[in-house]
Amino acid sequence: MQHQSHDMQACIDACLTCYRTCHSMLMGHCVETGGDHVAPDHVRTMAACAEMCRAAAHVMLTGSDLHRHSCRACAEICEACAADCERLDGMEDCVSACRACARECRRMAA
């Protein structure tokens, strides 16, 4: 596909990694740990992040130049999720995936 440059493929990969990481950590680590890990705002943030990452990857896969908009939103949501997860124990994988995705998405949104 002509629109999938190396940079776009790197962003799609980062988005899908973040989607998998946030979703699996929310359903596994957070649910099993309880407490602040299942606080409504935290759960909503992680769920929104996972879904935005999946959606951003999907929009890039369509080849539309409109991906800049979803990538911009994805970067903002990933940063918010990273900040929220950073305050909780055992969330390092999520923080790392969110920051990597935000970095790639900012590049694609430029």
Side-chain angles (χ1 to χ4, degrees), residues 1-108:
M1 182 179 202
Q2 179 182 359
H3 289 101
Q4 280 189 349
S5 66
H6 175 49
D7 290 342
M8 184 175 287
Q9 187 59 55
C11 190
I12 291 167
D13 292 345
C15 285
L16 293 176
T17 295
C18 194
Y19 163 73
R20 282 190 306 272
T21 302
C22 286
H23 185 71
S24 66
M25 288 200 77
L26 177 58
M27 294 297 114
H29 176 75
C30 292
V31 168
E32 292 167 9
T33 302
D36 287 342
H37 285 77
V38 291
D41 285 344
H42 179 68
V43 170
R44 288 182 190 114
T45 297
M46 286 192 72
C49 185
E51 184 56 24
M52 189 67 237
C53 290
R54 187 209 56 80
H58 180 85
V59 172
M60 283 183 278
L61 287 168
T62 69
S64 170
D65 287 336
L66 295 172
H67 72 270
R68 286 173 175 76
H69 302 290
S70 61
C71 286
R72 188 173 302 111
C74 189
E76 290 178 25
I77 293 170
C78 283
E79 285 296 342
C81 190
D84 195 46
C85 289
E86 197 168 41
R87 65 184 182 78
L88 300 172
D89 292 334
M91 299 297 292
E92 295 83 6
D93 289 347
C94 190
V95 172
S96 177
C98 286
R99 293 236 162 94
C101 186
R103 229 180 354 264
E104 293 295 332
C105 278
R106 270 197 236 62
R107 261 184 255 187
M108 290 309 298

